[in-house]
Amino acid sequence: MELKHIIPNIEKTFGQLEYAGEGTVEQRRINGKPTVLSRSYNLYSTIQRADDIEVILPADAGEKHFEVDDKVKLVNPKITAEGYKIGTRGFTNYIMHADDIVKL
């Protein structure tokens, strides 16, 4: 059985999420024109305090404009895992995807 994604309990895992700023935009040339594939945004978590939470949204969610520290909610969040190795050690990178971010 293959693990496709995990649906997190946002309140227990992250607590309250707040907007921390824009991340990166993934683009690709399609028919000679640059086309946005996805956008990432950084969020603060009241529980996961060591690092910002990065969430990736599909291009059709549009560009988001929030003020820093605005309280936000994720629409249909999912977490995927990517494995990689450095030398003989294995590591996991957890990636948060959502359909959209809305201001509370």
Side-chain angles (χ1 to χ4, degrees):
M1 179 152 112
E2 181 181 345
L3 175 65
K4 294 186 185 220
H5 60 264
I6 298 168
I7 307 293
N9 180 322
I10 293 294
E11 283 187 22
K12 288 183 180 179
T13 306
F14 301 109
Q16 177 61 55
L17 293 172
E18 297 175 352
Y19 183 75
E22 295 178 0
T24 59
V25 176
E26 182 182 353
Q27 295 183 1
R28 185 168 295 141
R29 284 197 174 277
I30 298 176
N31 296 327
K33 294 177 11 181
T35 303
V36 174
L37 299 177
S38 66
R39 291 181 175 86
S40 71
Y41 296 92
N42 297 313
L43 306 174
Y44 298 130
S45 164
T46 56
I47 293 177
Q48 303 287 331
R49 301 182 68 81
D51 293 314
D52 290 353
I53 308 300
E54 181 181 34
V55 62
I56 299 171
L57 301 181
D60 61 0
E63 193 171 354
K64 303 299 171 187
H65 300 282
F66 300 114
E67 295 294 321
V68 172
D69 294 332
D70 278 350
K71 292 182 184 339
V72 295
K73 178 181 174 183
L74 298 176
V75 177
N76 296 325
K78 300 177 212 58
I79 297 173
T80 59
E82 251 181 14
Y84 64 98
K85 74 175 194 166
I86 298 175
T88 59
R89 297 185 61 193
F91 298 92
T92 304
N93 187 24
Y94 295 98
I95 305 162
M96 172 83 79
H97 295 269
D99 291 340
D100 204 353
I101 300 176
V102 293
K103 185 175 174 180
L104 291 179

